[in-house]
Amino acid sequence: MSEDRTPRFGLPLLHAGQAQKELDHNEAITLLEVLAQPVVRGIGVDVPPSESAPGDCWVTGTNPVGDWSGHPEALAVRTAGGWRFAAACDGMSVRAPDGISAVRIDGVWRTGEVRADAFFVGNHQVVGSQAAAIEDPSGGASVDHEARTALLAILAALRGHGLVAL
């Protein structure tokens, strides 16, 4: 850990006998405000907006320009004193007001993806891991038997995913 900043988000630390501690403290609070529950106006934006209000936040793109130059794929937050940046780390997630979210995985922002082993509504699993493929019925002397077999396999898969009750 640096003597001046926290290891994960690079927040400024106070030091004993430091003059004007309020500057570092205010900087840390400003960055924490955006990092605690990041709501962004855009994801992967390279050009800073011409107009923004203090508190507005974006995820910069891979080739940011202007005031954002040198801060690729970071959180950029507008403050009364200008732009502040927080480096992204794996596992970080952000959400836009329209409900679209992005998660940082393996050094890349992944937009609109949801990763899970199962999805529950209430206490009922409605989606789970993908089951084995169901073979298409083909030919044969007894179409009715093949159709029943295919339907039973479909129902088993739907039940296995929790989409159809047992």
Side-chain angles (χ1 to χ4, degrees):
M1 176 171 84
S2 164
E3 295 287 326
D4 298 325
R5 300 208 168 255
T6 62
R8 185 166 177 204
F9 291 122
L11 301 175
L13 296 172
L14 300 178
H15 300 285
Q18 176 180 347
Q20 297 183 332
K21 289 180 181 175
E22 67 277 3
L23 298 177
D24 281 348
H25 175 76
N26 291 345
E27 178 76 7
I29 294 298
T30 298
L31 291 172
L32 275 175
E33 182 176 34
V34 73
L35 291 168
Q37 184 62 41
V39 175
V40 297
R41 302 229 4 230
I43 301 168
V45 179
D46 282 324
V47 179
S50 57
E51 293 185 23
S52 60
D56 287 350
C57 185
W58 283 262
V59 173
T60 61
T62 56
N63 297 304
V65 297
D67 290 342
W68 291 357
S69 182
H71 300 280
E73 298 185 325
L75 291 177
V77 62
R78 184 69 173 181
T79 69
W83 291 103
R84 298 291 186 266
F85 301 93
C89 60
D90 281 351
M92 180 181 278
S93 64
V94 298
R95 184 172 301 274
D98 62 4
I100 298 295
S101 62
V103 178
R104 183 93 170 168
I105 300 172
D106 295 329
V108 176
W109 284 104
R110 300 184 184 266
T111 303
E113 293 182 14
V114 176
R115 294 171 182 259
D117 291 326
F119 182 78
F120 290 80
V121 174
N123 290 325
H124 302 285
Q125 180 178 340
V126 294
V127 178
S129 299
Q130 187 175 40
I134 299 169
E135 292 189 27
D136 292 338
S138 62
S142 177
V143 173
D144 185 50
H145 175 70
E146 287 185 20
R148 270 198 190 103
T149 301
L151 286 172
L152 288 172
I154 291 168
L155 286 171
L158 291 172
R159 287 180 179 126
H161 284 291
L163 296 172
V164 175
L166 295 174

